[in-house]
Amino acid sequence: MVEDKKKGLFDQKLSRRDFLKKSGMAGAGAIIGASALGSFLLPKTQEKTKEADGDESISFYGKHQAGIMTPMQKNVYFVVLDLEEVSREEVKQLFKDWTAYAAKLVEGDRVDTESSNTYLPPKDTGETVGLNPYRLTLTFGISRSFLKKCGLTQKEMAIFKDFPPFPKEQLEDKYTGGDIAIQACADDEQVAFHAVRNLIRKGRGKVTLKWSQSGFAAIGDRKSTPRNLFGFKDGTVNPTTANDFDKVVWYDGNDWLKNGSFMAVRKIRMHLETWDRTNLAEQENTFGRYRDSGAPFGKTDEFSDFSWDDKDKDGNYLMPVDSHVSLANKAGKKLLRRSYSYADGINEKTGQFESGLLFIAFEKDPQQFVDVQTSLGATDRLNEYITHIGSGLFACFGGVEKGGYLGQDLFE
Ligand code: HEM
């Protein structure tokens, strides 16, 4: 009786996706809009809540890992883990378990079938029961220290080198290095967190948390470039076509990283108070772009072609030579930037906002990042307003085909 009552309550709270699944229409949600299904398929309560936003799911399987080419979601929960003293076989098993979990999580399903024994902790932590998948993607990467701990240094390729020291950075050990990175992106914060929480729960005893960062991006209607916490459009110059991705992002080699990519991560504190006291002309000179339109100096459209050395009719550079965009462009190397802002309360030492950018860039060769960061170097005008405090470089495997598992080509 009690069971039935519980079941009744749960049924009332079914998400629209669960409802479609139950009626054998899973997958149709992405094709048939909520309004089309509207009144005749959805129970009365669902009509009002119209929970159609999050019903798009992105398969975990494919040639490349999702979360790289995927258009940015609203939220990230990013985590770096350290590997405990475990055997390579145990790590391999963990990656197999994570594959099975990830494939379910991105569909909005529970990580495993629940047992009927109520004296056991539930398999899934439960905070997303009834929620849609919200375009959840899970992207896994490993570092050089991972290869070392697993006794796989012979698999290290020459381009997989640690970053050199960069001018002005003030890296803190607690945000630097680590063995495994998981980037969970979703259009819902709780969905992203739940995914990471359950993956780590499965890895208990094998991995420990080193650092984590949640972040957000104002992607709005997904048509315009999100603005960072300095108010500027961030992500304008980025690869978009499959051809761009082949040139810039996907690893060229034919080894265990085939179809994968390198992920450069920097935790960058942004000094909002200093920025907010800076006049608009100086803010725009810092980037070499106009704030409202996002256009490069001398142009009116955000996406106008430009080069750092464009000049006006008097022979003066259009962009300040020490502006962020001029120096980044001058490096002549491209990256896929997929960064998220963060706001973590108040810095106890300064009494100011603890906020910034979780900079995430994908590239086929880490040298692309090194060249851009070296060009920004000590001269970037933006340096006055930011401090790099964390860093990591991770090799993100190629995608997983059904029946395979994450990192299979590395372990076998
Ligand atoms: C808090 C730190 C940062 C902020 C606020 C920031 C902001 C921006 C903005 C507003 C733009 C212009 C619009 C666009 O194309 O996206 C831009 C461009 C760019 N940034 Fe950053 N950025 C930061 C850090 C970095 C870092 C660490 C790198 C790499 C080392 C980087 C690489 C680039 C590149 C490659 C471009 C495009 C350059 C081009 O137009 O050719 N940025 N950034």
Side-chain angles (χ1 to χ4, degrees):
M1 190 63 188
V2 176
E3 275 302 311
D4 276 343
K5 261 193 196 159
K6 271 192 197 154
K7 192 170 173 292
L9 258 181
F10 178 65
D11 275 348
Q12 279 169 30
K13 287 185 183 164
L14 277 181
S15 72
R16 176 170 167 275
R17 187 178 174 83
D18 285 338
F19 181 81
L20 291 175
K21 265 190 198 161
K22 288 217 156 176
S23 53
M25 290 193 66
I31 305 160
I32 309 172
S35 51
L37 286 166
S39 47
F40 60 93
L41 263 182
L42 298 176
K44 280 266 178 282
T45 47
Q46 294 294 312
E47 257 179 81
K48 282 197 200 98
T49 52
K50 214 174 164 213
E51 213 237 317
D53 274 5
D55 70 348
E56 195 182 327
S57 65
I58 299 169
S59 173
F60 181 67
Y61 299 109
K63 183 175 172 191
H64 305 292
Q65 284 199 74
I68 301 175
M69 210 172 183
T70 312
M72 273 180 78
Q73 297 95 322
K74 285 184 192 159
N75 295 96
V76 69
Y77 197 86
F78 177 82
V79 71
V80 176
L81 309 172
D82 276 334
L83 208 50
E84 291 296 280
E85 274 185 32
V86 284
S87 71
R88 198 191 305 165
E89 272 313 302
E90 285 173 295
V91 180
K92 188 167 142 184
Q93 186 56 48
L94 176 63
F95 278 53
K96 285 185 180 172
D97 293 342
W98 277 353
T99 305
Y101 267 34
K104 291 195 169 220
L105 285 162
V106 299
E107 299 299 337
D109 293 335
R110 299 177 196 219
V111 289
D112 211 338
T113 315
E114 294 297 349
S115 144
S116 55
N117 183 349
T118 55
Y119 293 99
L120 289 174
K123 296 256 176 62
D124 189 293
T125 55
E127 68 269 36
T128 54
V129 171
L131 288 186
N132 278 333
Y134 284 95
R135 294 199 300 138
L136 172 70
T137 55
L138 293 161
T139 317
F140 295 80
I142 52 133
S143 69
R144 289 184 64 217
S145 57
F146 175 94
L147 292 178
K148 202 168 170 198
K149 285 190 186 171
C150 291
L152 290 168
T153 42
Q154 75 281 6
K155 300 257 186 171
E156 212 174 87
M157 51 290 266
I159 60 170
F160 198 5
K161 291 186 292 226
D162 289 337
F163 290 145
F166 294 111
K168 302 221 171 217
E169 67 185 3
Q170 291 179 29
L171 302 184
E172 298 180 24
D173 285 347
K174 60 181 173 185
Y175 304 129
T176 302
D179 301 329
I180 302 171
I182 307 174
Q183 175 199 250
C185 298
D187 287 325
D188 181 274
E189 222 176 329
Q190 187 149 322
V191 167
F193 179 75
H194 166 262
V196 170
R197 177 183 178 191
N198 281 269
L199 292 169
I200 290 170
R201 188 176 183 228
K202 188 69 181 166
R204 188 161 296 151
K206 296 180 183 167
V207 288
T208 48
L209 274 164
K210 183 172 168 75
W211 68 281
S212 73
Q213 184 63 62
S214 60
F216 51 87
I219 58 165
D221 57 6
R222 286 196 228 165
K223 288 194 188 100
S224 33
T225 315
R227 290 181 186 273
N228 59 35
L229 295 180
F230 286 162
F232 280 68
K233 294 184 180 216
D234 199 335
T236 306
V237 173
N238 245 348
T240 50
T241 64
N243 193 25
D244 292 343
F245 273 74
D246 283 341
K247 279 197 203 135
V248 176
V249 178
W250 305 126
Y251 174 67
D252 279 331
N254 205 16
D255 48 34
W256 60 271
L257 195 56
K258 190 175 175 194
N259 297 324
S261 187
F262 287 98
M263 171 169 60
V265 182
R266 306 285 282 184
K267 179 168 167 133
I268 307 176
R269 187 175 282 148
M270 290 163 69
H271 309 294
L272 302 189
E273 278 81 358
T274 318
W275 183 260
D276 293 346
R277 286 195 302 269
T278 304
N279 66 61
L280 179 61
E282 178 53 24
Q283 291 188 352
E284 294 185 327
N285 282 333
T286 301
F287 287 109
R289 282 183 176 265
Y290 304 112
R291 188 178 88 151
D292 287 359
S293 66
F297 277 15
K299 310 278 163 89
T300 49
D301 185 77
E302 179 192 353
F303 296 99
S304 301
D305 278 340
F306 76 97
S307 170
W308 69 275
D309 55 358
D310 287 345
K311 297 196 178 97
D312 64 16
K313 56 182 179 356
D314 300 322
N316 301 314
Y317 286 116
L318 285 173
M319 271 182 189
V321 288
D322 59 354
S323 65
H324 178 74
V325 172
S326 173
L327 290 167
N329 182 266
K330 194 176 176 183
K333 294 285 173 70
K334 301 257 180 279
L335 308 169
L336 167 70
R337 288 169 295 131
R338 221 176 167 284
S339 309
Y340 286 86
S341 300
Y342 68 86
D344 285 349
I346 296 158
N347 182 306
E348 279 180 15
K349 279 193 203 135
T350 60
Q352 300 190 335
F353 288 120
E354 182 56 64
S355 51
L357 190 74
L358 180 67
F359 176 91
I360 299 179
F362 293 95
E363 54 278 321
K364 62 170 63 187
D365 180 340
Q367 195 62 36
Q368 291 161 250
F369 172 83
V370 173
D371 287 352
V372 178
Q373 185 57 42
T374 304
S375 179
L376 298 174
T379 30
D380 187 359
R381 215 154 161 151
L382 188 58
N383 285 341
E384 197 178 331
Y385 310 98
I386 63 170
T387 308
H388 289 231
I389 55 173
S391 180
L393 174 64
F394 302 92
C396 298
F397 308 115
V400 180
E401 298 299 342
K402 274 195 181 143
Y405 66 92
L406 270 168
Q408 187 163 3
D409 293 341
L410 176 65
F411 291 110
E412 287 175 6

